[in-house]
Amino acid sequence: MSEAVSEVHEMIERQLYGCGGILFRDFHLDGAEAFRSFAASFGHPLLAYEFGSTPRSQVSSGVYTSTEYPPHQSIPLHNEQAYTRDWPMKIWFYCQQPAQQGGETPIADSRLIHRDMPAAIRNRFAEKGVMYVRNYGAGLDVDWRQVFGTDSKAEVEAYCAAHSIVCEWKDGDELRTRQVCQGTAVHPVTGDVVWFNQAHLFHVSSLAPDVRESLLDIVGDPLELPRNAFYGDGSPIDDETLTTVRGVLDRHKIVFPWQAGDVVMLDNMLTAHAREPFKGPRRVIVAMAQAHGLH
């Protein structure tokens, strides 16, 4: 039996490297624990959600809710934790309850996105990378204690030192971090070059114009915004560039309806994911595995 399971997993791995994602339907998984066991059966310990950028709740060991943003908001296409130098290679989504309306988890091929990106933009991001600046707490974003999972400043500093993150303590027990990360990346198995960053999510242009204006009025300096993105050398990324990036992402978005019990398994480097707005109750939980990174 174990040999048969191993062969099935090897076949799934091969398919995953080709198409980037697999939908498991009518497998009759029963609840979060069965999902956890299914994801863990692929042979890699499930990962904790470290250095997170969005609110999630832990369901069980290695299993989390999907991003807890309000239902009316969409979440643009992105690769999980591409705003860091460490990320999971595999991510699973389990739909326990599809929304009454909307709530899909669109996907897109990161290889095609890279190829379709205008050469000037693609080359600039590849050469310079992206610097993410985050200011935690102050009632404007996730508190640093939640992000790092500790109340200890020393532990935060040790984590940052180990992950090439520059951290700076500010007045009022607040924290700023800066990290220069990849703009594009090479898949370690397939050798494919992929678009792999979250500049379009962190950059100030991702905010609605009125929210952007209000926040800048409050903090005064783009470096003081809860989150922002620059090129790796610290120079600004102009709004027009990221408008183009978002347009390329949107062109490659594939949307499919959830059914209760569905599991989607993605190669996180080859395939980006998103979330559509929804109405009614919705429950999709997530697991991640196989850490990979650049140090």
Side-chain angles (χ1 to χ4, degrees):
M1 178 66 179
S2 61
E3 289 182 6
V5 170
S6 177
E7 287 180 7
V8 169
H9 284 175
E10 288 175 8
M11 179 189 69
I12 290 170
E13 289 265 5
R14 289 195 299 270
Q15 291 294 322
L16 199 63
Y17 292 142
C19 62
I22 297 173
L23 169 64
F24 298 89
R25 180 161 282 171
D26 297 327
F27 271 58
H28 305 294
L29 290 182
D30 185 19
E33 190 57 32
F35 168 62
R36 188 199 66 76
S37 297
F38 176 75
S41 74
F42 285 87
H44 299 279
L46 300 186
L47 300 173
Y49 185 54
E50 293 185 331
F51 196 49
S53 68
T54 59
R56 298 178 186 262
S57 301
Q58 185 168 357
V59 176
S60 67
S61 178
V63 177
Y64 297 83
T65 58
S66 54
T67 298
E68 296 171 352
Y69 278 173
H72 69 277
Q73 293 184 3
S74 62
I75 300 174
L77 284 164
H78 62 284
N79 304 82
E80 192 65 32
Q81 292 186 300
Y83 59 88
T84 72
R85 295 171 63 87
D86 304 86
W87 56 83
M89 288 297 295
K90 293 184 174 63
I91 184 167
W92 293 262
F93 298 89
Y94 171 44
C95 180
Q96 290 184 288
Q97 182 178 11
Q100 295 171 5
Q101 180 180 332
E104 299 90 350
T105 300
I107 58 175
D109 190 322
S110 299
R111 295 166 287 195
L112 296 180
I113 292 167
H114 179 267
R115 292 172 203 160
D116 198 22
M117 199 65 63
I121 294 176
R122 185 173 62 229
N123 294 339
R124 203 177 309 133
F125 272 79
E127 292 165 8
K128 293 189 173 186
V130 180
M131 181 172 72
Y132 300 94
V133 180
R134 299 177 64 178
N135 291 279
Y136 305 85
L140 298 175
D141 206 347
V142 186
D143 186 81
W144 62 263
R145 296 167 185 83
Q146 181 180 348
V147 170
F148 290 93
T150 180
D151 292 327
S152 166
K153 291 185 176 181
E155 289 181 14
V156 170
E157 291 166 1
Y159 180 93
C160 290
H163 293 81
S164 303
I165 300 169
V166 176
C167 66
E168 172 189 355
W169 296 105
K170 305 191 298 180
D171 293 340
D173 202 31
E174 293 176 13
L175 173 67
R176 174 188 293 144
T177 60
R178 307 183 198 206
Q179 187 180 33
V180 177
C181 302
Q182 65 292 322
T184 63
V186 177
H187 193 284
V189 175
T190 69
D192 290 306
V193 185
V194 296
W195 186 256
F196 201 76
N197 66 80
Q198 290 192 20
H200 63 297
L201 293 183
F202 277 71
H203 191 263
V204 64
S205 63
S206 67
L207 300 173
D210 56 335
V211 175
R212 175 177 182 167
E213 184 178 351
S214 297
L215 272 177
L216 284 170
D217 282 346
I218 293 169
V219 301
D221 184 337
L223 284 174
E224 296 288 346
L225 289 166
R227 59 186 72 185
N228 207 347
F230 304 82
Y231 288 117
D233 60 5
S235 58
I237 305 174
D238 62 87
D239 292 7
E240 293 75 17
T241 291
L242 290 172
T243 297
T244 301
V245 168
R246 294 182 183 103
V248 174
L249 291 166
D250 286 343
R251 282 201 297 275
H252 290 276
K253 183 164 71 170
I254 299 168
V255 184
F256 64 96
W258 279 120
Q259 293 184 18
D262 283 352
V263 174
V264 167
M265 178 181 181
L266 301 179
D267 182 299
N268 182 46
M269 289 190 72
L270 300 180
T271 306
H273 62 274
R275 191 202 74 183
E276 298 290 89
F278 63 94
K279 294 182 179 178
R282 174 189 187 269
R283 184 166 177 83
V284 175
I285 58 178
V286 178
M288 297 170 278
Q290 198 177 354
H292 177 76
L294 308 171
H295 289 292

